[in-house]
Amino acid sequence: MSKSITAAETAKWLKERDNFLILTHRRPDGDTVGSAGALAQGLREVGKTAYVLRNPEITPRYAPFVEDYAAPDGFEQEHTLIVDTASYKLFPKDSDKYVGNISLSIDHHPSNTMYAELTCLDPTTASCGEIIYEILIELAGKISAKSAGCLYLAVSTDTGCFSFANTTANTLRVASLTVEAGAPHIKLNRKLFRTKSHARVKIEGMIYAGMEFHFGGKVAIASVSHEMMSLAQANDDDVDDIASLPGSIEGVQAGITISELSSTNDCKISVRSSPSVDANAIAARFGGGGHAMASGFSLGKPIQEVKEDLLEVLKDFF
């Protein structure tokens, strides 16, 4: 059983050790990437050796935040860390050798399975980046502009640029402090939230055109198929945060996005909900999890069968 430790205890543990390798989760988002980059930078600033494991699924949008920390071939860490990752199921591809060998997990998901030797978990935070901020302050008393940029990425993307219901006063406080420390928030806001590729616009149009509504409009289901991706000439960057689209529609209490993962029938399902609906409970019925208003899971079935399974389960919630 993992031992739970606080941010202050985590900083103390890090101070007493060296040679760290940091992992991000499968299909990395801004929170896991920003948290990993900020932690690696902060550790280096206090004289530690720290690298981030290369994640083959990282998109060009987020790659610049960790490219300076990529672990070189042959690096042998003494301690393996992982950020923003609730369970082994979310470990990145080709990382089986790290299963059972995680020294420290830093996370904010209440569904964390406590798989690491030590776990710094705070489910009250909107992002893992908020926890990393507290750790770095305990570690060095301040954060650099480079760490601040990574942390702003983490907290802003996990809250939809502070528009999601998970945003708290602490989230805004940490964001403000990263800006004070030099995070280029104006540049990042434009890049992350106000700029869309032509492919993004095309695939959004397809998604809205094919969106289905159920239970009197309380549930909206969006699908992203390989055919749609091909027609729009879209890549993973173009569908970043696509899961927020169905939940933005008036009257929708649960917005569900089904995305085909590969040429197989596997699908990734994202659930975004209002405070009145427990997204985590819905995902848990399929072996997934996350937060009360943002959760997910995967199924080895085609889109239509996933919809049928979902609608059957959703009868218990609506």
Side-chain angles (χ1 to χ4, degrees):
M1 186 67 177
S2 179
K3 179 183 177 182
S4 295
I5 58 175
T6 65
E9 290 169 336
T10 299
K12 182 177 184 295
W13 186 88
L14 292 169
K15 283 179 182 178
E16 295 170 350
R17 290 161 179 81
D18 202 353
N19 295 322
F20 302 103
L21 180 67
I22 305 166
L23 276 60
T24 53
H25 62 61
R26 187 179 291 264
R27 297 184 294 276
D29 59 9
D31 193 17
T32 194
V33 172
S35 294
L39 182 57
Q41 178 65 25
L43 286 168
R44 290 185 178 189
E45 288 170 4
V46 293
K48 306 294 184 180
T49 298
Y51 291 102
V52 176
L53 180 70
R54 297 176 189 273
N55 191 325
E57 294 184 301
I58 193 169
T59 63
R61 176 186 297 261
Y62 297 136
F65 292 90
V66 289
E67 60 188 3
D68 290 346
Y69 314 109
D73 293 339
F75 173 66
E76 295 185 7
Q77 76 277 13
E78 294 179 35
H79 307 283
T80 305
L81 319 179
I82 192 164
V83 293
D84 193 43
T85 306
S87 73
Y88 285 135
K89 293 180 181 180
L90 296 172
F91 273 39
K93 290 182 177 180
D94 305 320
S95 62
D96 290 347
K97 66 180 180 180
Y98 301 109
V99 174
N101 294 300
I102 301 296
S103 305
L104 171 67
S105 167
I106 304 170
D107 192 20
H108 70 127
H109 294 98
S111 56
N112 188 286
T113 59
M114 306 299 282
Y115 54 86
E117 293 176 27
L118 299 171
T119 302
C120 180
L121 175 67
D122 185 353
T124 69
T125 61
S127 66
C128 186
E130 293 170 53
I131 307 170
I132 299 295
Y133 173 82
E134 298 299 334
I135 292 170
L136 295 184
I137 291 299
E138 292 283 350
L139 192 66
K142 61 181 180 179
I143 58 170
S144 66
K146 197 163 185 179
S147 286
C150 289
L151 290 174
Y152 188 85
L153 168 73
V155 299
S156 65
T157 54
D158 243 29
T159 58
C161 201
F162 316 106
S163 66
F164 294 166
N166 62 337
T167 305
T168 67
N170 186 67
T171 309
L172 298 173
R173 179 183 71 88
V174 171
S176 174
L177 291 168
T178 65
V179 172
E180 287 184 7
H185 64 293
I186 296 174
K187 178 182 177 181
L188 289 175
N189 284 344
R190 181 170 181 80
K191 177 182 178 181
L192 298 170
F193 306 107
R194 297 184 58 202
T195 303
K196 294 183 180 182
S197 66
H198 288 250
R200 171 72 179 217
V201 173
K202 289 179 182 178
I203 204 158
E204 278 192 17
M206 295 181 199
I207 289 170
Y208 283 125
M211 197 172 293
E212 298 178 8
F213 296 90
H214 301 272
F215 302 99
K218 294 178 181 178
V219 174
I221 300 179
S223 302
V224 184
S225 68
H226 291 298
E227 182 180 8
M228 291 165 62
M229 293 287 285
S230 179
L231 287 171
Q233 296 184 313
N235 56 35
D236 287 344
D237 246 3
D238 298 313
V239 292
D240 182 63
D241 194 34
I242 210 80
S244 65
L245 295 185
S248 65
I249 297 169
E250 184 179 7
V252 170
Q253 296 178 14
I256 301 173
T257 306
I258 306 170
S259 304
E260 286 185 319
L261 293 178
S262 63
S263 57
T264 67
N265 286 332
D266 291 349
C267 287
K268 172 190 174 185
I269 299 89
S270 299
V271 184
R272 302 291 183 268
S273 69
S274 66
S276 62
V277 178
D278 190 342
N280 186 50
I282 294 172
R285 297 283 286 272
F286 297 93
H291 300 282
M293 291 181 285
S295 294
F297 58 96
S298 296
L299 287 179
K301 296 182 178 183
I303 288 177
Q304 187 55 40
E305 290 185 24
V306 172
K307 286 181 185 177
E308 293 169 2
D309 289 351
L310 273 167
L311 291 173
E312 189 63 31
V313 166
L314 289 171
K315 291 177 182 177
D316 294 337
F317 294 85
F318 295 91

